[in-house]
Amino acid sequence: MKIVRLLKLSYLLSFFCSNMTVAALAENEDFKLTANSTSINMQSGLTQFSDDVVINHGNLKIIAATLSQQQDTSKKQEKMQLTGSPAKIQFKRENSSLLTTIEAENILFYPDLGILKVSGKSKLQISENDQLQTVIRATFISLKLSTKKIETIHAEGAPLYYYLSGGNGKDDITATAEKLALNQKTGDVELFNASVKQKNDEFRAGLILVDGATGNLSASGGKNNVRPSLSIELDEELINSNKKQDKKP
Amino acid sequence: MIESKGWILLALAFAVLLVLLNLSTIEEKASTPLFGKETEDKFDYEMQGMQTRQYNIDGVLTSTLSADKLIHFPGKKVIELTAPSLLFSVSEQLWRLNAETGSLFELSEELVLDKWVRINNIVDNKSALDGATHPAGISIEVNQLTFNLQQQIASSPNQVKISSADWSLQGEGLSIDVKKQTLKILNKVEALHENR
């Protein structure tokens, strides 16, 4: 009988066989995780690392108060959750100087789906050579990832804040909006019920599209056409200087 | 003459008194009880190169417990094991538990394993229950492990290392609750994944 009780230990051990999938992020590179404590519950499929969790994996660094990994055996889906004040993910694309930083109180990652959901004082920042390229501050941000690359970003806020560095002689763009959709491949950004400022000009529309290739702005009333298609407040100084030039003989 | 006899009697009486007085200051040694400490520490049986096998209801071998030496102390109600090794199969997976020494306390129902305690997941070779085995897969290493058979809680305050082919998880302090099916590493956790 005593031996039988002892044998039950092995159920826990067999759990490791299927539970070492924290390595979902660590396919080809060394992975190091440090924490103050860890707890593995075989019954619920929950693994938790607590207090000063730090993960280093190649160009990826994660800092959080807790890291939980839940295996949903019925859906054959895995979920990882980071919490912190804030939890922080930082990764650099290979052969690139682009550095992406995500900060939030709550970060959920679905490795099988490649979806990262960020909520609670969320901030996403992309910089290149220490120069800010993109900043999104929102209450909720969702990213679609593929092999350590961001494909799309969706954000919601009340309102959210968006910053895009101009580059190539263009002026920086700052915006507030209810929703944002960013296609990282094309660079196109859709801002819903947005107000966009570029230098001293301000645009308001149901939908403002920032063209990723040219940096040009276009606007429409949005899906429900509830707002005027475009409202522009041009820089008064620029208008006055143009008027003076027109009056010249 | 009478006076000298009187002195001799007085001297004798004094001598007797001194002896009696001296005796009273000497600590009295307790007599050795019939079932004293010496008897309690004696073992009632000993086995060398022992091996026990356990079969399930279908007659399939489920575990093999072996030890270089087993000594039972009925007074202390302890079974001392030298080089205990337990081979067991669960869910078609084979596991081996080894330690240099072990003590099974019958009263507290605690199994204390000492010195290089290892629990290994072995390649699926069922014949290994009877013969030589080659450790592979998951293994747990800890210097000391106390397993409370009543509460089904295994614990160790020492450094623990859990590793697989390319994974290792280590820290200080281990707690395994079999009923709740939880494993905890209590301090200074470090998980490493190495690509080989």
Side-chain angles (χ1 to χ4, degrees):
Chain A
M1 185 62 190
K2 285 168 185 172
I3 289 172
V4 172
R5 283 179 185 168
L6 196 65
L7 296 186
K8 290 182 183 174
L9 270 173
S10 62
Y11 282 107
L12 286 173
L13 308 179
S14 61
F15 177 63
F16 278 96
C17 297
S18 58
N19 203 45
M20 283 300 187
T21 46
V22 179
L25 293 166
E27 286 165 357
N28 301 310
E29 292 175 74
D30 290 354
F31 176 97
K32 184 181 177 184
L33 182 154
T34 57
N36 191 40
S37 62
T38 184
S39 167
I40 298 162
N41 190 318
M42 201 183 101
Q43 224 164 21
S44 62
L46 178 72
T47 303
Q48 187 165 45
F49 293 90
S50 301
D51 300 331
D52 299 326
V53 182
V54 179
I55 296 173
N56 281 295
H57 168 234
N59 294 328
L60 172 73
K61 185 171 186 179
I62 296 174
I63 299 168
T66 65
L67 163 65
S68 309
Q69 184 196 6
Q70 178 75 59
Q71 282 192 314
D72 190 337
T73 46
S74 60
K75 291 180 184 173
K76 291 183 179 175
Q77 202 178 76
E78 196 181 324
K79 184 172 80 176
M80 281 170 65
Q81 183 174 20
L82 296 163
T83 63
S85 307
K88 192 172 175 181
I89 298 177
Q90 197 172 64
F91 60 96
K92 202 173 178 181
R93 273 182 64 183
E94 277 176 40
N95 307 318
S96 164
S97 50
L98 279 177
L99 180 73
T100 304
T101 308
I102 297 165
E103 289 179 14
E105 289 173 342
N106 194 5
I107 300 172
L108 279 170
F109 179 49
Y110 300 87
D112 303 323
L113 305 172
I115 290 174
L116 193 74
K117 289 182 177 177
V118 177
S119 60
K121 293 179 185 171
S122 313
K123 183 180 168 186
L124 183 145
Q125 193 171 294
I126 301 169
S127 56
E128 188 169 19
N129 297 322
D130 296 328
Q131 292 289 312
L132 274 179
Q133 296 294 311
T134 303
V135 178
I136 298 168
R137 281 202 298 266
T139 49
F140 174 79
I141 303 172
S142 173
L143 297 97
K144 179 85 178 78
L145 308 172
S146 68
T147 56
K148 300 178 201 168
K149 206 167 75 178
I150 298 172
E151 282 186 354
T152 58
I153 300 170
H154 288 87
E156 290 176 22
L160 62 83
Y161 168 84
Y162 173 66
Y163 166 84
L164 177 68
S165 172
N168 297 329
K170 296 257 182 188
D171 291 318
D172 296 351
I173 290 172
T174 57
T176 55
E178 285 180 11
K179 285 184 183 178
L180 171 148
L182 191 155
N183 186 322
Q184 189 73 358
K185 194 176 178 184
T186 60
D188 291 347
V189 184
E190 288 177 319
L191 293 156
F192 298 89
N193 292 336
S195 174
V196 175
K197 274 185 93 171
Q198 191 169 33
K199 207 175 178 186
N200 294 322
D201 301 333
E202 190 167 340
F203 309 85
R204 283 185 295 272
L207 171 64
I208 296 178
L209 175 72
V210 183
D211 190 300
T214 61
N216 292 337
L217 300 172
S218 59
S220 73
K223 271 186 181 175
N224 300 323
N225 224 20
V226 289
R227 283 191 169 202
S229 61
L230 184 62
S231 157
I232 305 172
E233 288 175 21
L234 293 172
D235 183 357
E236 283 182 16
E237 283 181 24
L238 187 70
I239 294 167
N240 291 334
S241 66
N242 285 342
K243 280 180 182 174
K244 282 175 189 172
Q245 279 180 355
D246 289 343
K247 282 179 185 174
K248 281 180 184 174
Chain B
M1 188 63 184
I2 294 166
E3 276 183 9
S4 61
K5 280 183 180 173
W7 277 111
I8 290 167
L9 284 170
L10 193 65
L12 274 169
F14 188 68
V16 169
L17 194 68
L18 273 177
V19 169
L20 288 171
L21 193 67
N22 195 37
L23 279 174
S24 68
T25 58
I26 294 172
E27 277 187 28
E28 192 178 332
K29 281 187 180 175
S31 61
T32 309
L34 187 59
F35 298 104
K37 193 174 182 301
E38 287 176 21
T39 314
E40 280 178 9
D41 284 348
K42 283 181 182 170
F43 61 89
D44 57 356
Y45 63 86
E46 177 189 319
M47 294 184 210
Q48 296 217 0
M50 61 77 64
Q51 191 176 72
T52 61
R53 292 174 182 179
Q54 193 171 55
Y55 297 85
N56 68 11
I57 198 164
D58 301 319
V60 177
L61 182 63
T62 55
S63 68
T64 303
L65 174 67
S66 58
D68 287 356
K69 193 193 270 187
L70 179 153
I71 309 173
H72 181 245
F73 296 93
K76 291 193 290 183
K77 295 195 186 303
V78 173
I79 296 172
E80 299 284 359
L81 297 158
T82 306
S85 177
L86 180 70
L87 276 163
F88 50 94
S89 174
V90 176
S91 304
E92 298 185 352
Q93 289 208 40
L94 192 63
W95 298 87
R96 184 170 64 180
L97 190 153
N98 284 88
E100 284 191 19
T101 60
S103 303
L104 180 63
F105 296 90
E106 293 175 325
L107 287 178
S108 60
E109 288 202 50
E110 277 188 341
L111 175 69
V112 179
L113 297 166
D114 268 316
K115 296 173 191 168
W116 204 32
V117 184
R118 289 151 293 144
I119 308 171
N120 293 311
N121 172 217
I122 298 164
V123 275
D124 52 343
N125 174 13
K126 286 192 176 178
S127 63
L129 277 170
D130 294 313
T133 53
H134 304 282
I138 309 297
S139 78
I140 296 181
E141 285 177 33
V142 64
N143 201 35
Q144 180 267 340
L145 187 76
T146 301
F147 186 56
N148 188 308
L149 300 169
Q150 187 67 37
Q151 296 170 354
Q152 294 188 45
I153 292 174
S155 61
S156 175
N158 299 339
Q159 188 78 16
V160 59
K161 185 175 181 182
I162 303 168
S163 48
S164 67
D166 48 8
W167 263 100
S168 77
L169 183 67
Q170 55 188 342
E172 268 181 19
L174 174 71
S175 172
I176 301 172
D177 190 322
V178 177
K179 281 182 189 168
K180 291 181 183 171
Q181 297 190 36
T182 56
L183 184 149
K184 288 179 185 175
I185 295 180
L186 307 172
N187 280 302
K188 296 177 184 172
V189 179
E190 188 175 288
L192 289 169
H193 176 269
E194 291 172 5
N195 282 288
R196 292 172 184 172

